[in-house]
Amino acid sequence: RCRDCRSMSCGAVPRGTSNPEESSMQAITPVAAAPASRYARVIETSRRVRWEIERDVIRGRRFDYAKTFLPAGLSLVDELSFLDADDCRLLGQVQGRTYAVIFGLVERFIGAKVLEVSRDHWLGDQVALEALVRMTDEELKHQEMFRRIERMIAADMPPGYVDTTDPNAVARAVLGKSTLAVLALTLDIELFTQAHYRASIEPQDDLSPLWKDVFLFHWKEESQHAVLDELELLREDARLTPAERDAAVDDLIALVGAGDGILQAQATADARYFSAIAGRAFSDAQLEAIHDTVLKAYRLQYIVSGGMEPRFQKVLFSLVDAAQRARIKAALAPLAYAVPADPAARLPLAA
């Protein structure tokens, strides 16, 4: 489908339907053909791109606060016409700080779930087991990197920033849902991580070099994690009954709703923090606009860009029937407004 499609649906064919352009849905599920070779390639790439936090990413550097962190294509700061260049840079830094915090949050439940699904391979496919163990190790490293980054930013930026999340509480809630739902959410996250980097972060030359490198190295490993997510998602789906799959769709929808609740709380905290440290007064109408734009940006970053990502849609909608697909689309519909106001703006899609 079109890279810049603004629809929450795509041309993927739901379970139980046919498409004259594709002889079977197996064209999009190469896991059925040679999963062992795909696990092995992930291991090979993991060894090749392996990096360390201090040696390769930080390298004794600090963040450059003369530059922004999160590009305008994701932060949407350009939609606030009353902000000057300094304001836009600062709001991009506040959002960039939260971007790192949110990724540290989701790595907590992703690592735990990968450990859990690896159990199925303990006395079986040892190549698959090694790939998943490596992924878990890398997710733990990512958590530590994001904690390190937050400590560095906290030492530099004015006090008052509030992280509204509790990573362990969120992880417990997520892990209480069905495996299919959690793996689908994980695939979604790791695909939009790649899409954000390639479409919005990598092309920008005006970002803090250290902040940009954090997400360069993160992207290098997440691209392999998405392969494993898809393999394990399809493996899990193959053993579900129709009733279990239907319940998993409800779980996935519930996870999206809970995620939006987290974003609403963090957007409120971040809008207040920015307004407090910006060094200028804003009218009530401007404060409301700042809040609404930050929330819109967070919904774009963490829900809409993932839901619209072509590969995610293709995989997910191949597993569900038409009624389940309709439920997913209906759940996402109220958030579909969260795209750049400029119709010519390139969306961060296509991992």
Side-chain angles (χ1 to χ4, degrees), residues 59-128:
R59 306 199 305 273
R61 295 177 293 171
R62 307 295 300 181
F63 290 99
D64 182 354
Y65 292 92
K67 297 183 177 182
T68 195
F69 294 174
L70 203 64
L74 291 170
S75 69
L76 305 183
V77 295
D78 290 349
E79 296 186 10
L80 294 166
S81 59
F82 54 86
L83 297 186
D84 61 23
D86 289 342
D87 294 331
C88 289
R89 180 174 65 250
L90 178 60
L91 186 52
Q93 290 168 353
V94 172
Q95 287 197 38
R97 181 176 183 175
T98 288
Y99 196 76
V101 165
I102 292 292
F103 277 113
L105 169 75
V106 301
E107 304 279 7
R108 185 72 55 91
F109 69 75
I110 290 174
K113 176 52 73 172
V114 172
L115 272 179
E116 180 186 312
V117 300
S118 74
R119 174 187 290 270
D120 293 341
H121 301 289
W122 286 0
L123 303 179
D125 187 341
Q126 298 298 285
V127 175

Side-chain angles (χ1 to χ4, degrees), residues 40 49 77 94 112 149 189 193 273 315-316 328 339:
V49 305
V77 295
V94 172
I149 293 310
I189 291 168
T193 299
Y273 177 60
V315 172
L316 178 63
I328 294 169
V339 295

Side-chain angles (χ1 to χ4, degrees), residues 235-256:
R235 189 175 65 83
E236 174 67 15
D237 176 76
R239 62 187 183 183
L240 294 185
T241 66
E244 288 170 334
R245 185 176 299 106
D246 196 65
V249 169
D250 286 339
D251 279 353
L252 179 59
I253 291 170
L255 287 173
V256 172

